[in-house]
Structure formats: structure tokens, C-alpha cells
Amino acid sequence: MSGVITLAHGAGGQETKELIDRVFLRALGNDYLSEAEDAAVIALGKFAVSTDGFIVAPPIFKGGDIGKLAVAGSCNDVAMRGAKPKFLTASFIIEEGVSFELLETIVASFAAELAKNEAKLVAADTKVTPRNQAGGGLYISTTAFGEVKLEGLAARNLKEGDYIIASGTCGDHGAAIFAAREEIAFEGDLKSDCASLWGLVSRLIDAKAPIVCMRDATRGGLAAVTNEWASAADVAITLQEAAIGVKNEVKGACELLGFEPYALANEGMMIAAVRGEAAALEALNVMRSDALGKNAAVIGFVGGDRRGRVILQTPHKTSRFLDAPSGELLPRIC
Ligand code: MG
């Protein structure tokens, strides 16, 4: 479709119907949505639920776009509780003047990522805001419902002797967004790792890995996740810097800009805690058998002499605290 979104597309009349039929139902239609009632009726058992808002700028970046991110982000959060993403609800806030071309690209990408998760959009809403009043462009809020396949995953259960595994390299998404926004040309190919993690998680569950907890390293990256865990269970976490993967191009960007790569966001990388060394090595092999886990590594363990803190051991045999990030590192990262 050519043209742009106008306020009339948000007014609830003929143009709204056109927008929904031509853009949304065409890409995302299913039995739930085509009922066109005020609410979807779904049968739920034991489900994990997570909601998130997405405001990333620019809306299209290397490795993904806001549509893919809005699905992967919420689906990953339920996956981290051992749940298979099944249903999604979404709210699209569109600024007047956004082109149909952009919107259709984003919605197609949203639909493709939903299909990867084998999940269905069961309820959705669109609103149009006047130009220059919503910060620009397109916002999407999603809520994912995932069927719990493995119960009891929780950071409060961490204890000494648990091993910490990262499924990939740190900071890929944050560095890619920064480069896209600032139009800085970096050496190499900075690309977001934006991806849905359920496939990787289901392999771990199928392999009966003794997982204690999992979290996707999104805003605040590895530093945020491990600090949250250390305080949730009141344990020390020790990380070995030499084992933590950071791509050369991400390292380069961080050095140039003064960022800590461990505090930069990922959108397709998870941290898992596994009980016992043998089980951790087994879980590592399972992860590496999946394309999203090919760079997986055991990066540390639960233990150390400062409860509630994360200790980073450097390759030079010194150590420092890895603190939770503070301040505004990078606005509109996800
Ligand atoms: Mg999360």
C-alpha cells in the first residue's frame, strides 16, 4: 500500500477498518482475530505471562526491526520461565505520517517471528497519535502467554556451586543500535542478535538439564542479569572475563565510545544457571548444537566472598566488581 498513516486511520471509522484489514489481518489473521469480538476466548492451563513495550529507534536496524523485536522480546521472557510461547496480544501506537510501506514491513516481520515461535496473535489494538507528540514513529507493546513446560525456575534458588552459561556474545544489539543511530561506520559488521530463544530453551528442557534459572540479557546486558541474580539469592557470582565472548566489532565500538560491553543489551542471548559442573558441561554441548548457541560458554559460577555482588576476574589475575549499570546509557534501545 502506498501513502502514509493519517489521524483518520485511528478514528475508529472506515479508514481504521481499512488499516486493520489491509495491513494487520492480511499478515496476521487467524481464527481468534477474525472473530472480531471485543476479546478473544482462549483455554489456558499453567501459563507464564510477560508484557513489554518497544520503542527502539531506528525502527529498522541490522539484524532486525521493531516488529521482530516486539515478538522475540516478549516470547523470550516467557521462555526464560520454561514456557513455550503460545499466544500474544499487541498494541501498535503509530504516529501520523508513518508510511504504509514501513508499517507493512514491520507487520510482516512481526508475523514471521510469531510463526517461528509457533504462536498466535489473539488480540490487538491500533492507535494513531498526532505528529510529533509521541516521540516519533512507531511503538509496539506486546504481552506473551507461554505454556509452562518446566516449573520452578527462579533466581532465588541459585546457590554456591551453580555454573553460569552465556548462550552467545555480549552487547551485539546495543552496539548495532548505537551504530545505526549515529551512522558511525565501525570495522566489521555490527549486527543485532535479535532472535527468539524458545528453540534453544526447549533443547535444554528436552535434555533434562538441571536449570536453576534463565534470563535473557536485554537492557543492562550481562551486568544487569548477574547483579539481579546475586541480590535475588543473596549470593556472590564470579565471572571469568576470559570466558565471556565479545565480538571484535563490539569491543571496538565499546572502546571508542567508553561503553562496558557487559552492560550493553542483547536481544537473542540468554544467561542460564545450571546445577553442578558435569551438568553445566552437558548443557553447554546442548546449547552449542543450536545455531543460536554456537558461541555458548561457561562464564562463571555462583560463589565468592562478597554476597550480593558480581566479581569479574580479569585475564591478568586481578578482579573487580561488575556493577549493575546506572544512568542512561542508550535511550530507545528496545
Ligand atoms: Mg527478560
Side-chain angles (χ1 to χ4, degrees), residues 16-29:
T16 303
K17 191 180 175 326
E18 256 174 49
L19 170 69
I20 290 170
D21 288 350
R22 290 196 194 171
V23 178
F24 289 94
L25 286 180
R26 183 180 287 175
L28 293 159

Side-chain angles (χ1 to χ4, degrees), residues 220 222-228 263 309-310 321-327:
L222 171 67
V225 170
T226 47
N227 275 280
E228 282 163 20
R309 302 294 300 267
V310 178
F321 290 122
L322 179 65
D323 289 319
S326 64

Side-chain angles (χ1 to χ4, degrees), residues 24-25 27-42 87 119-123:
F24 289 94
L25 286 180
L28 293 159
N30 59 45
D31 293 348
Y32 294 97
L33 291 181
S34 60
E35 273 198 319
E37 293 289 350
D38 274 359
V41 174
I42 51 179
F87 305 112
K120 276 188 174 160
L121 184 70
V122 293

Side-chain angles (χ1 to χ4, degrees), residues 77 215-216 218:
D77 278 340
R215 208 161 283 186
D216 53 346
T218 55

Side-chain angles (χ1 to χ4, degrees), residues 154-168 170 204 210-217 221-231 233 235-245 269-285 287-288 295-304 309-312 322:
R156 63 174 183 277
N157 297 335
L158 285 164
K159 65 178 193 188
E160 250 179 64
D162 292 340
Y163 284 78
I164 311 286
I165 304 176
S167 69
C170 282
L204 286 172
I211 308 165
V212 181
C213 55
M214 296 182 280
R215 208 161 283 186
D216 53 346
L222 171 67
V225 170
T226 47
N227 275 280
E228 282 163 20
W229 282 3
S231 59
V235 291
I237 291 180
T238 299
L239 300 178
Q240 278 127 0
E241 193 166 25
I244 304 172
M269 195 272 271
M270 61 182 245
I271 313 296
V274 176
R275 186 136 297 163
E277 190 177 6
L281 294 175
E282 236 178 90
L284 184 65
N285 282 331
M287 273 198 195
R288 285 181 175 165
N295 294 318
V298 174
I299 59 166
F301 55 89
V302 177
R309 302 294 300 267
V310 178
I311 299 128
L312 190 70
L322 179 65

Side-chain angles (χ1 to χ4, degrees), residues 72-311:
S74 282
C75 287
N76 286 350
D77 278 340
V78 298
M80 294 303 106
R81 295 304 303 277
K84 154 82 184 73
K86 295 274 275 194
F87 305 112
L88 205 82
T89 70
S91 172
F92 290 77
I93 315 275
I94 310 159
E95 192 184 46
E96 178 190 12
V98 164
S99 71
F100 271 96
E101 193 189 350
L102 172 66
L103 187 61
E104 281 170 328
T105 301
I106 300 300
V107 171
S109 171
F110 186 102
E113 203 60 23
L114 258 184
K116 260 186 219 161
N117 281 279
E118 295 172 355
K120 276 188 174 160
L121 184 70
V122 293
D125 182 52
T126 61
K127 290 285 184 312
V128 179
T129 64
R131 204 182 289 268
N132 300 327
Q133 285 188 19
L138 183 60
Y139 295 157
I140 307 175
S141 174
T142 52
T143 299
F145 296 76
E147 191 175 15
V148 176
K149 302 288 186 187
L150 178 64
E151 293 189 38
L153 300 174
R156 63 174 183 277
N157 297 335
L158 285 164
K159 65 178 193 188
E160 250 179 64
D162 292 340
Y163 284 78
I164 311 286
I165 304 176
S167 69
T169 52
C170 282
D172 297 22
H173 179 73
I177 294 301
F178 190 88
R181 203 178 299 166
E182 303 299 316
E183 292 176 0
I184 294 174
F186 289 105
E187 290 288 320
D189 182 31
L190 278 176
K191 186 173 167 224
S192 169
D193 59 338
C194 181
S196 292
L197 290 165
W198 171 249
L200 183 59
V201 171
S202 68
R203 280 178 194 261
L204 286 172
I205 293 176
D206 290 346
K208 304 207 179 331
I211 308 165
V212 181
C213 55
M214 296 182 280
R215 208 161 283 186
D216 53 346
T218 55
R219 259 182 314 185
L222 171 67
V225 170
T226 47
N227 275 280
E228 282 163 20
W229 282 3
S231 59
D234 193 28
V235 291
I237 291 180
T238 299
L239 300 178
Q240 278 127 0
E241 193 166 25
I244 304 172
V246 182
K247 290 195 174 113
N248 280 335
E249 51 268 37
V250 174
K251 243 181 232 170
C254 285
E255 275 164 19
L256 191 69
L257 303 162
F259 290 155
E260 165 86 87
Y262 315 127
L264 272 191
N266 286 86
E267 287 293 347
M269 195 272 271
M270 61 182 245
I271 313 296
V274 176
R275 186 136 297 163
E277 190 177 6
L281 294 175
E282 236 178 90
L284 184 65
N285 282 331
V286 172
M287 273 198 195
R288 285 181 175 165
S289 67
D290 189 286
L292 285 181
K294 66 178 192 292
N295 294 318
V298 174
I299 59 166
F301 55 89
V302 177
D305 51 13
R306 289 291 292 273
R307 289 150 82 98
R309 302 294 300 267
V310 178
I311 299 128

